[in-house]
Amino acid sequence: MQEQEIELLQLIEKNANLEPSKIAKLMAVSEEEVRELLRSLEEKKAILGYSTLIDWAKVVQKEEVTAMVDVKVQPARGSGFDKVAERIYRFPEVKAVYLMSGAYDLSVSVEGKTMMEIGRFISEKLSALDSVLSTTTHFVLKRYKHDGIILDDEDDNDKRMVVTP
């Protein structure tokens, strides 16, 4: 991959909302070159989409529960963990799946309206898969930082009184 492509990817990873004209200035290239690089990276599937990070805790009407589920699986013959992971990530409740080192094989991020809904998904769908040997569920209580962005950064200034001996 070219240095220009990597530079462009780093810029839009931090802010997917950057206009091609702004990117062109930052990279010291023409706007047309930026558009061509973006098109090329999208075709290569290096850019899979553009997303916005939202702090849903600040949206009262939209409260969801997130759980991280550690999953121990029996790998499929001939395809290892890939087929099992594919079966799991096709469920609409699943937001992310990662192959992990350690005691568990897969880490699965699941979202639902309630803890009960997530519990039903795990017991009725996820644990019911033949290749799933065991699960451990961790519910997210509060998000502090996501994708490099601090979510609760309102009180930036430490207002505690300095006390010296």
Side-chain angles (χ1 to χ4, degrees), residues 72-84 105 131-133:
K72 185 81 172 157
V73 301
Q74 177 67 46
R77 185 171 298 236
S79 62
F81 296 102
D82 294 347
K83 284 288 185 202
V84 179
D105 303 309
S131 53
V132 172
L133 303 174

Side-chain angles (χ1 to χ4, degrees), residues 117-131:
E117 184 178 294
I118 290 175
R120 274 193 304 273
F121 165 75
I122 293 168
S123 64
E124 295 171 9
K125 294 180 182 177
L126 184 61
S127 295
L129 296 175
D130 290 335
S131 53

